[in-house]
Amino acid sequence: MLDAACAYAGRYDVILDGILGPWMLEPFRATCRQRGLGLSYVVLRPSLDVALARAARREGRHLKDIERLTGLYGAFEDLGALESHVVDSSAESAAETAAEITAGLWAGRFATGAAPRPDSPAARADSAPPPSSPGPQNGPRGAS
């Protein structure tokens, strides 16, 4: 997964969407530093009640087990130094959540300390996003 993400990261925004806990970050940081790529990490964390209600509405065999969800939720409950990477999507629509993430990416809120490429928007503190740009490029981003 890491090699595949980094293979495209110099040319495209790469977003890894799934359950990527902070315990998985160090290999990503090391690889991004080695390749001169920036790395952002975002955790979507609605309230537990909202997370369980959303799971109950899922169709099929998707993650719905309350006990498993509660345990998984606990793994992301206290992120310590990464707590500023949390987006509480409890009361936000998908579009509002995406807008908050985009603004945070441009502001560097979700940067992990891996060095971005010098030509990336994330490396230029005075950069502003182009009107139609989805956000900074040049590195994988994790979402949980």
Side-chain angles (χ1 to χ4, degrees), residues 17-117:
D17 180 20
I19 300 168
L20 300 171
W23 54 89
M24 299 174 73
L25 278 181
E26 197 46 47
F28 283 90
R29 281 186 178 131
T31 300
C32 287
R33 274 191 214 105
Q34 181 182 38
R35 297 181 185 194
L37 300 170
L39 177 66
S40 296
Y41 180 70
V42 179
V43 174
L44 299 179
R45 190 176 66 200
S47 71
L48 179 58
D49 290 340
V50 169
L52 293 175
R54 289 176 181 169
R57 292 191 304 264
R58 290 184 187 135
E59 294 182 22
R61 297 178 55 196
H62 297 300
L63 183 59
K64 295 166 102 170
D65 180 83
I66 291 173
E67 191 172 313
R68 283 185 65 202
L69 285 167
T70 303
L72 185 58
Y73 190 91
F76 290 90
E77 214 163 14
D78 180 11
L79 298 179
L82 292 171
E83 197 64 31
S84 63
H85 295 246
V86 172
V87 172
D88 181 350
S89 61
S90 297
E92 295 180 335
S93 68
E96 290 167 330
T97 301
E100 181 177 350
I101 292 169
T102 299
L105 289 168
W106 277 104
R109 171 181 164 193
F110 306 120
T112 66
R117 292 169 36 128

